Amino acid sequence: FDPNLKPSSTLEYESHGAYIESPMILSVSGEPVNNLVSGRSYRYVYTVRFTEDVSNVRFGMLIKTTSGMELGGATSDRTSTNGEENLKRGSLVRIEYQFTCFLGSGLYFLNAGVSGSVAGEFKHLHRILDAVCFRVVDSRSDYQTGIIDFSCYPEILLKSEK
């Protein structure tokens, strides 16, 4: 873990009934990490503190490049009507996304978000862009190019000599 590896581009949306707290990446054994190895599994976790009664709550995360290209992520539910039924003011929820890092060497960002209905209106309750940054320090393959490590490798099948 590098304590100096922090995003300088963090942007936090205004809260509408919830606050995202303590976003971090953990190793499988639960240690905070921000230098990842391609091919290994990790957990992205954060806590949400609710300051209003809310319903239809959804949680989300997104991995992106330093240039802002969205690489992928996940949400706890794809619709605005099937999230957590009701959460009362004062509730705390810990969210954990498990993922395997299939990225090439470089620097990346993680976003965190929570949406839901407050007073009958569905909206972003809180969102943090570039909440966490991490570095992929080792690619699994000597052949990998680009951002995603697809575990491609060359195999020369025919070689003819004159």
Side-chain angles (χ1 to χ4, degrees):
F1 182 81
D2 179 356
N4 297 315
L5 186 57
K6 297 178 183 176
S8 60
S9 54
T10 301
L11 177 64
E12 196 167 331
Y13 284 38
E14 180 181 354
S15 170
H16 295 282
Y19 282 98
I20 295 168
E21 301 172 343
S22 307
M24 69 182 80
I25 302 170
L26 302 175
S27 67
V28 173
S29 63
E31 298 296 320
V33 294
N34 57 10
N35 286 290
L36 281 55
V37 176
S38 189
R40 292 192 185 165
S41 294
Y42 299 93
R43 296 180 290 157
Y44 178 47
V45 300
Y46 59 88
T47 301
V48 179
R49 180 173 43 89
F50 291 90
T51 58
E52 301 288 336
D53 292 346
V54 295
S55 61
N56 299 321
V57 178
R58 297 183 314 162
F59 305 95
M61 60 85 79
L62 177 72
I63 299 173
K64 65 182 197 174
T65 65
T66 55
S67 65
M69 180 188 303
E70 297 179 354
L71 300 177
T75 182
S76 60
D77 195 295
R78 297 182 63 87
T79 69
S80 63
T81 57
N82 292 326
E84 291 291 321
E85 296 265 335
N86 295 299
L87 293 169
K88 297 289 184 192
R89 177 183 181 164
S91 296
L92 283 174
V93 177
R94 180 179 162 112
I95 310 307
E96 182 174 306
Y97 288 96
Q98 295 187 22
F99 69 99
T100 301
C101 179
F102 289 114
L103 299 171
S105 297
L107 190 65
Y108 301 91
F109 294 107
L110 273 159
N111 294 353
V114 58
S115 302
S117 296
V118 176
E121 182 182 354
F122 187 81
K123 57 182 153 187
H124 286 294
L125 302 177
H126 196 214
R127 191 171 181 206
I128 305 176
L129 307 181
D130 301 352
V132 172
C133 67
F134 65 93
R135 181 179 294 115
V136 177
V137 295
D138 189 22
S139 177
R140 297 183 309 160
S141 168
D142 292 334
Y143 306 108
Q144 187 261 330
T145 61
I147 297 170
I148 307 297
D149 183 350
F150 289 106
S151 298
C152 298
Y153 61 92
E155 183 176 347
I156 300 171
L157 301 175
L158 178 62
K159 182 177 180 182
S160 72
E161 296 182 20
K162 291 186 179 187

